[in-house]
Amino acid sequence: MALEELEMGSEQGFGGELEIPGGSPALRKALKELSGAGLLKVILELPNVRQVVEELAPSDFFWLVKKIGEEDSLPLLEMASKEQWQHLVDLEIWGRDRVRLDQVGSWLKRLHVADAERLVQWLLQEGSLLVNFFLGRLLDVTVRDHDTDEVPEGFFSLDGVYYLRVRDPEQEDWIRELMADMARLDYGGYQRLLLGLLEYLPSEAEEELYRLRNVRLAEQGFLPWEEAQAVYYPLRPEAVLKGDPEVARALELVDEERDLVPMIPLDRGEIGGLLARVLEGIQDPLSLDRIRLEFAALANQIISAEGVGVSDLEVMSRACRRAASYLNLGLESLSKGDLPKAGELLAGLALVSIFRVGYGMASRLAWEARKWVQGSWFRKMGLKPGFWGESWGSSLEGLLQRRPLYSTGTEQGAEPRDFRHVEELEEASKTLERLKILDALLERLVERYPLDPRLLIHPEADFHPLLFNLWGKWMMGQKTEISPMGLGDAARLLKVLRSKDRRAPYKMPGFERQFVGFFLEHFPEANREFLSQTLGLLWREFKDEYERLPLEELSGRFSRLIRIEG
């Protein structure tokens, strides 16, 4: 295959300076690690570069063009096949169901510069509907009677019979060149084109263009938006394990079709976990190519379902990462982590079925979170998910997204991402249960004790002071209310809590039991074990925050878990 040539060359290096690391993901590494200019240089230095480019699957060719840049890709466009051109145009010129004339003009102009003769052939044959639509919007065409008619103002003619006028002055020069090339290379085709423009019906042409484009792209997973939504329809694991008819089976791929298998999307999925282990164990090249083909179609369907264009390389990469993430989650769930079982599933099921299992698990948890939030106490108080702190709040925020996301909330520079592992889903589920029980506890507390609104309107307000300030006041024998604490009172509270310790770090022994017991008494009907565990986590967070803090450095400005005024 074409990419194998690139990988073989990568082992030796190209030009002695820029090298693509060897191994099967060579092109992925090149796309990720080299600049567009560096990638182009490496490809152009291949000894059989034209063959490599021509044999790229159309979708892989599209990835390369997006990475290198449209204007810098002219050498690749010159070597590309008409099928690659067609795929590129299919993805680039549409805004939902309408043709974007500016994009048509931009791409036809690039292809004209790259290979004018082949473009003329393509437009007068396979691309005749497109060029009729495009020129029908930009050209006025008339036939002159030499005996009676004057040359119309602004019109030009290449044959003295048909007279043309370009409506857009900015595109006039290159369209004149294109028409001149058509007349020179295929005068009969040129005449047929102009005759067709005289009877041009733009609405019918656009509808037919859209239909044909959808037929071509549907084979690669780019479905109409309504149909593409099926990728997000949850599929229960039981349906898969029982072999229900609704569960799609693996695609059958024959050896003759392998040359058109996209290789880049699977490599861009940042494959890991159980899915990576299964793929590493596949010895049959045909089986691996079947997975590559299905993976590319799955990523494309995700893009279609999101209703976004593919002009941005990151959009495509994000779809590949999402496909890989939920495939791994689905495999882990269905196989219970058993590698041979996962291999059987990957061999016998369509990837979209496994994806729907994984995504369905996350979407059910997200539905549960949204349902709870609607009736929660914190929502009634006008509070946002951030009220639950950085980690737990981020976890809830991720579940409430249109497509649920996993977030630790604490990893440095970590962005929310799709769920990849069963343990991540279990972690988010447990966090949600902790928030539910704390929310119910807080609702019970504010019904019994006065709540100072200053604790909720503070710019960094979260739930911790509502618990620790109330308990601290109770410990100090003060009026039990949920309100800020004076600096002196806060210092005295820490002295009490440290009374059994001689020096830092202050472990505050025995007080966790008092803290947990105080709140258990206010919520006796709750799941006592789970509430105790949750309150225990909060106490350990409190101890870690204050066990080394010198009392003279205690400050309302920097106290996170106790709200201090003054």
Side-chain angles (χ1 to χ4, degrees):
M1 298 178 68
L3 296 187
E4 293 172 354
E5 300 288 345
L6 182 60
E7 291 169 5
M8 290 174 58
S10 73
E11 297 174 358
Q12 304 169 5
F14 305 105
E17 296 179 358
L18 291 171
E19 294 188 2
I20 300 178
S24 61
L27 187 55
R28 182 199 65 164
K29 286 181 175 293
L31 281 164
K32 190 173 183 178
E33 298 176 5
L34 295 181
S35 66
L39 178 60
L40 179 63
K41 182 176 186 294
V42 164
I43 293 173
L44 293 180
E45 289 177 350
L46 287 169
N48 56 342
V49 56
R50 183 173 293 275
Q51 178 186 352
V52 169
V53 172
E54 287 179 346
E55 292 183 0
L56 285 171
S59 59
D60 283 345
F61 178 78
F62 181 75
W63 278 84
L64 289 182
V65 169
K66 301 311 291 184
K67 173 67 175 183
I68 294 170
E70 291 85 349
E71 302 303 330
D72 294 331
S73 294
L74 292 178
L76 299 186
L77 294 175
E78 187 272 328
M79 292 180 279
S81 68
K82 293 179 182 179
E83 290 75 17
Q84 292 167 336
W85 282 5
Q86 182 68 70
H87 183 71
L88 191 152
V89 170
D90 281 339
L91 293 178
E92 287 288 293
I93 69 170
W94 291 88
R96 290 191 179 271
D97 59 349
R98 303 303 300 270
V99 174
R100 296 174 54 191
L101 281 178
D102 59 330
Q103 285 291 86
V104 178
S106 296
W107 279 105
L108 292 186
K109 186 175 181 180
R110 293 184 188 108
L111 295 175
H112 186 246
V113 173
D115 191 332
E117 182 172 346
R118 199 148 54 95
L119 176 65
V120 167
Q121 294 172 355
W122 182 56
L123 291 179
L124 294 181
Q125 296 173 23
E126 301 98 320
S128 60
L129 191 61
L130 175 63
V131 75
N132 270 274
F133 178 83
F134 176 66
L135 294 179
R137 294 292 186 92
L138 291 177
L139 277 184
D140 292 320
V141 181
T142 187
V143 179
R144 177 192 173 199
D145 185 333
H146 287 268
D147 294 331
T148 60
D149 295 343
E150 297 292 332
V151 175
E153 183 178 356
F155 281 72
F156 68 95
S157 178
L158 299 172
D159 58 3
V161 178
Y162 294 97
Y163 285 79
L164 316 175
R165 178 172 60 190
V166 182
R167 298 170 191 166
D168 184 354
E170 295 184 0
Q171 302 199 60
E172 182 170 358
D173 290 343
W174 87 267
I175 289 181
R176 277 179 176 252
E177 294 178 10
L178 176 64
M179 302 308 292
D181 286 335
M182 286 184 176
R184 175 175 57 85
L185 295 168
D186 187 350
Y187 183 66
Y190 171 79
Q191 286 183 311
R192 289 190 295 273
L193 170 66
L194 296 184
L195 283 172
L197 292 179
L198 290 172
E199 302 175 355
Y200 169 70
L201 296 174
S203 60
E204 293 182 7
E206 189 169 30
E207 290 177 5
E208 182 64 7
L209 277 172
Y210 187 60
R211 185 189 69 80
L212 293 174
R213 177 251 194 187
N214 287 346
V215 169
R216 288 189 296 268
L217 292 184
E219 298 175 355
Q220 303 182 51
F222 286 107
L223 302 176
W225 182 84
E226 297 83 0
E227 296 179 34
Q229 297 305 307
V231 74
Y232 286 127
Y233 293 168
L235 184 62
R236 290 196 172 274
E238 309 85 69
V240 173
L241 297 175
K242 292 178 181 178
D244 287 2
E246 67 168 311
V247 179
R249 311 304 297 177
L251 175 73
E252 292 187 8
L253 181 68
V254 297
D255 193 66
E256 291 75 13
E257 298 172 328
R258 292 184 61 202
D259 285 342
L260 296 179
V261 171
M263 296 186 69
I264 295 176
L266 183 62
D267 291 331
R268 293 288 287 187
E270 299 182 4
I271 306 297
L274 183 61
L275 177 60
R277 292 164 58 201
V278 174
L279 292 175
E280 288 171 0
I282 296 177
Q283 302 298 319
D284 178 20
L286 189 62
S287 298
L288 185 57
D289 280 347
R290 188 275 299 179
I291 291 172
R292 287 186 177 278
L293 184 63
E294 284 197 33
F295 186 91
L298 174 60
N300 291 343
Q301 187 172 352
I302 290 170
I303 293 172
S304 299
E306 294 300 313
V308 295
V310 292
S311 58
D312 186 352
L313 195 64
E314 178 56 28
V315 169
M316 298 186 288
S317 297
R318 188 164 58 245
C320 292
R321 293 194 296 268
R322 172 163 293 176
S325 295
Y326 284 115
L327 282 174
N328 192 75
L329 179 60
L331 272 184
E332 285 189 358
S333 174
L334 291 167
S335 69
K336 306 301 181 185
D338 181 79
L339 184 60
K341 178 64 174 177
E344 293 176 8
L345 292 166
L346 200 62
L349 294 174
L351 298 192
V352 68
S353 295
I354 302 173
F355 176 91
R356 288 173 56 197
V357 170
Y359 181 79
M361 296 168 64
S363 66
R364 281 188 287 274
L365 182 60
W367 178 86
E368 182 183 341
R370 286 191 288 268
K371 182 180 178 181
W372 166 68
V373 166
Q374 288 176 358
S376 64
W377 169 81
F378 89 95
R379 172 62 65 87
K380 294 175 186 175
M381 299 297 292
L383 301 169
K384 305 295 183 183
F387 172 73
W388 297 110
E390 183 178 7
S391 179
W392 289 351
S394 296
S395 179
L396 179 60
E397 186 73 51
L399 289 177
L400 298 179
Q401 298 302 306
R402 178 170 172 265
R403 307 291 181 202
L405 296 174
Y406 171 71
S407 174
T408 64
T410 57
E411 294 181 7
Q412 185 68 27
E415 293 290 333
R417 57 170 173 78
D418 296 302
F419 287 89
R420 296 174 183 167
H421 303 285
V422 171
E423 63 182 19
E424 294 173 350
L425 207 60
E426 292 173 345
E427 174 193 327
S429 177
K430 184 171 286 189
T431 295
L432 180 61
E433 292 305 312
R434 296 195 192 286
L435 298 185
K436 287 181 180 180
I437 203 167
L438 287 176
D439 187 84
L441 173 63
L442 289 173
E443 186 171 22
R444 180 71 57 85
L445 294 175
V446 298
E447 289 174 353
R448 181 168 179 178
Y449 301 108
L451 172 63
D452 190 323
R454 288 178 295 173
L455 289 179
L456 301 183
I457 62 176
H458 190 277
E460 299 179 1
D462 70 15
F463 73 99
H464 293 90
L466 277 68
L467 297 175
F468 286 106
N469 279 43
L470 173 64
W471 178 75
K473 288 176 180 289
W474 175 77
M475 281 288 297
M476 297 293 293
Q478 298 177 352
K479 180 181 178 182
T480 47
E481 61 181 11
I482 308 172
S483 62
M485 185 178 291
L487 181 60
D489 290 336
R492 284 190 290 275
L493 173 63
L494 289 182
K495 285 182 180 180
V496 170
L497 299 179
R498 296 171 172 183
S499 60
K500 298 180 182 180
D501 297 297
R502 301 183 63 179
R503 64 178 64 86
Y506 300 100
K507 300 302 181 182
M508 310 179 200
F511 289 105
E512 177 180 350
R513 181 174 53 82
Q514 295 186 43
F515 175 77
V516 172
F518 174 80
F519 292 109
L520 285 178
E521 290 181 3
H522 289 80
F523 203 1
E525 68 272 27
N527 181 332
R528 294 180 66 84
E529 181 178 357
F530 188 68
L531 180 56
S532 296
Q533 292 174 356
T534 302
L535 292 169
L537 289 175
L538 297 178
W539 175 260
R540 288 187 284 279
E541 184 181 3
F542 177 88
K543 182 173 66 66
D544 292 344
E545 183 81 7
Y546 294 103
E547 66 181 358
R548 296 182 181 275
L549 179 70
L551 291 182
E552 59 271 18
E553 294 183 12
L554 185 63
S555 163
R557 183 177 179 183
F558 300 107
S559 179
R560 186 172 62 88
L561 305 182
I562 303 175
R563 182 67 64 219
I564 300 174
E565 64 179 2

